[in-house]
Amino acid sequence: MVPTIPILDGLLTPEEIARRITASSGAHITGRTIWEKARRIGVAKKIGRTPLISIEDIPLLLNEETKTERLDRLKNKSSRPDALTMLRQARKKRART
């Protein structure tokens, strides 16, 4: 018999949470959506490559984001350069020298 680790008992994968939400409410939601919101609000955890979310944090995931929060997030996202833009700028700079 494999011993269980009590700390991990309260953690679920985003896919498990999405399955539970879909089963209880009928609203289809994906694990990816759950993981993105968990990262955005700061409740996401990882062990190795496995994404995990605490059972106590599920109510935070279910809270609706206000319009102001969404606009702030979009504004912050658009104000920082993405990786492709930074790579292109570095290549141009290297080509000039």
Side-chain angles (χ1 to χ4, degrees), residues 43-91:
V43 297
K45 298 164 183 58
K46 268 189 152 183
I47 296 179
R49 298 182 86 186
T50 305
L52 297 168
I53 300 167
S54 174
I55 291 174
E56 290 85 28
D57 294 328
I58 293 175
L60 296 173
L61 292 171
L62 297 176
N63 286 340
E64 184 178 354
E65 291 180 291
T66 64
K67 189 173 184 177
T68 307
E69 291 170 340
R70 284 189 300 247
L71 290 174
D72 287 343
R73 186 180 74 244
L74 290 173
K75 186 170 43 169
N76 289 338
K77 186 177 182 180
S78 65
S79 66
R80 61 182 178 183
D82 63 335
L84 183 58
T85 304
M86 291 171 57
L87 179 62
R88 286 179 180 155
Q89 290 172 350
R91 285 181 178 167

